Amino acid sequence: MMRFLEHDEADDPILSVVNLIDLFLVVIAILMIVILRNPLNPFSSDRVVVVEKPGEADMRITIKDGEELTRYEASGEIGEGRGVKAGTTYRLPDGRLVYVPEAGGPVEATR
């Protein structure tokens, strides 16, 4: 009599559906953990800087500040951009940096 009961439970299609649902719940939990551990996840309000391929010609920098994403991509060229010399920076023996502005030009504070 016990063999027939065990045999009937093994052929129950509902058990297969329940096992599939359990499998999907585990997959969803793993995906949520991966999303939350990602530094650029949409649920965090932190400021994060991600550098991809540092030092290479196709380096990318992604900055996440709250909900705003900014991506900078290197073109591989050196000295790209426009500007004028604003001054000179010197490193002191104790490791501090001293900035000396260029003479004759306006000095603007930066953060």
Side-chain angles (χ1 to χ4, degrees), residues 10 13 22 24 26-27 30-31 36 38-39 44 53 56-57 59-60 66 70-71 73-74 85 88 95 98 105 107:
D22 289 343
F24 286 133
V26 169
V27 169
I30 291 172
L31 289 175
L36 292 176
N38 185 347
S44 108
K53 302 180 184 176
E56 295 183 18
M59 177 175 79
R60 283 185 285 186
T70 308
R71 173 171 276 172
E73 295 189 23
K85 185 176 178 181
T88 308
V98 177
V107 177

Side-chain angles (χ1 to χ4, degrees), residues 62-79:
T62 305
I63 300 173
K64 178 182 178 286
D65 192 3
E67 293 183 4
E68 181 180 338
L69 281 177
T70 308
R71 173 171 276 172
Y72 300 99
E73 295 189 23
S75 65
E77 297 180 21
I78 297 175

Side-chain angles (χ1 to χ4, degrees), residues 27-42:
V27 169
I28 289 171
I30 291 172
L31 289 175
M32 289 297 289
I33 290 171
V34 168
I35 288 172
L36 292 176
R37 294 198 49 125
N38 185 347
L40 298 176
N41 83 60

